[in-house]
Amino acid sequence: MTELRIPPHVHAGEAPHGGTVLFNARSGQWYAMNGTARDLWEEWRRTGDFDTGVQAVADRFPGVRYDHVRLDAERLAGDLAERGLVATEQHRAPDAGAGPDAGEGRAYGQAVCAPPADGVRWLRTAGWLGLCLALVLLRLPFRVPAQAVDVLKRPRSRLRPATMHQAEAMLAVVRRVADGYPGRAACLEHSLGTVLGLALAGLAADWCLGSADDPYRFHAWVEIGGETVTRHEADDRVSFRRVLVL
């Protein structure tokens, strides 16, 4: 296990206390690392060499035996490879067959939004279809809904940028429809349903996934021009940092 590669589907976000959160855009799973693990991962991302990363981190902690650092690094690399967060010569990143319901660190939360405004009732059908499509896609590997949003928003799709008013109305429709769904429907389902519903109506919005710290929390939301659509109630107390924007 010498050469390490960070796959393109892995996205990182720094935490203010020195750690890092990783998001696997294929599996839809989040992972949190402490400062030492972050240092190793950053060195591997920078150099692509396992031994160089171990030596760099060992040099920062001269009071710790090198073989102890290396053993911890081997365990970390193995764990990361198993979860598809690094690829090695012996272990290429798998195609994460489990959807967002599997594993730890799924983005949870409830979005709070205003009721549909007058003049946007034509969005109701698109919102209903958007949520239904989101619920189906989120039962598949996370790369499927991520690719669906990417395809819908490509330039040739000719989507028009949604206004904040339109996005708020769509989110309200999606939440209202979700209230009648017997299963779980929270921020991940609401936000994806809103983005898909807007796309079906010929409008584009950004689907954002991010994290907050102490304790780690994960959230999914919709943005228009960098502004959050109907801010999550917890956002008044803590700011979620964007890790992936589609």
Side-chain angles (χ1 to χ4, degrees):
M1 186 164 52
T2 301
E3 295 183 5
L4 297 175
R5 176 177 57 85
I6 308 302
H9 62 264
V10 177
H11 302 266
E14 293 186 3
H17 52 64
T20 289
V21 293
L22 301 179
F23 179 67
N24 186 331
R26 284 186 174 178
S27 67
Q29 294 178 347
W30 293 90
Y31 303 90
M33 298 191 300
N34 62 24
T36 304
R38 187 276 311 274
D39 290 344
L40 281 166
W41 190 84
E42 288 289 352
E43 287 293 334
W44 292 336
R45 182 170 66 169
R46 183 178 65 84
T47 66
D49 184 75
F50 175 83
D51 294 320
T52 300
V54 172
Q55 187 62 59
V57 172
D59 290 343
R60 297 173 193 170
F61 301 95
V64 180
R65 290 175 49 180
Y66 174 84
D67 57 332
H68 289 176
V69 175
R70 186 177 182 85
L71 179 60
D72 288 343
E74 289 175 351
R75 291 172 178 167
L76 174 64
D79 288 343
L80 294 175
E82 183 179 354
R83 291 164 172 76
L85 301 173
V86 299
T88 69
E89 288 183 334
Q90 292 79 21
H91 189 150
R92 292 296 178 182
D95 283 342
D101 286 331
E104 67 271 31
R106 186 178 174 186
Y108 286 99
Q110 293 287 340
V112 177
C113 50
D118 292 338
V120 295
R121 295 184 182 276
W122 59 274
L123 293 177
R124 291 181 181 274
T125 300
W128 184 87
L129 291 173
L131 178 62
C132 291
L133 183 57
L135 292 172
V136 172
L137 290 175
L138 289 172
R139 296 181 66 87
L140 303 173
F142 188 81
R143 66 178 183 276
V144 177
Q147 290 172 351
V149 173
D150 180 63
V151 170
L152 285 172
K153 292 181 62 180
R154 288 175 182 172
R156 64 173 177 269
S157 66
R158 298 182 180 179
L159 296 181
R160 306 184 312 277
T163 65
M164 181 62 71
H165 180 74
Q166 291 169 326
E168 288 178 343
M170 181 63 75
L171 180 56
V173 170
V174 168
R175 288 202 68 224
R176 183 172 296 180
V177 174
D179 287 341
Y181 176 62
R184 176 189 179 278
C187 68
L188 195 63
E189 292 79 8
H190 293 166
S191 58
L192 179 58
T194 298
V195 170
L196 294 176
L198 288 170
L200 292 171
L203 302 170
D206 290 330
W207 188 31
C208 303
L209 295 98
S211 66
D213 310 290
D214 298 326
Y216 281 113
R217 295 172 304 290
F218 307 102
H219 183 40
W221 67 95
V222 182
E223 286 188 2
I224 300 294
E227 184 178 353
T228 303
V229 177
T230 309
R231 295 180 64 83
H232 184 277
E233 58 186 2
D235 288 350
D236 295 334
R237 301 188 301 272
V238 64
S239 177
F240 285 89
R241 298 180 307 281
R242 290 183 293 177
V243 174
L244 176 63
V245 180
L246 295 168

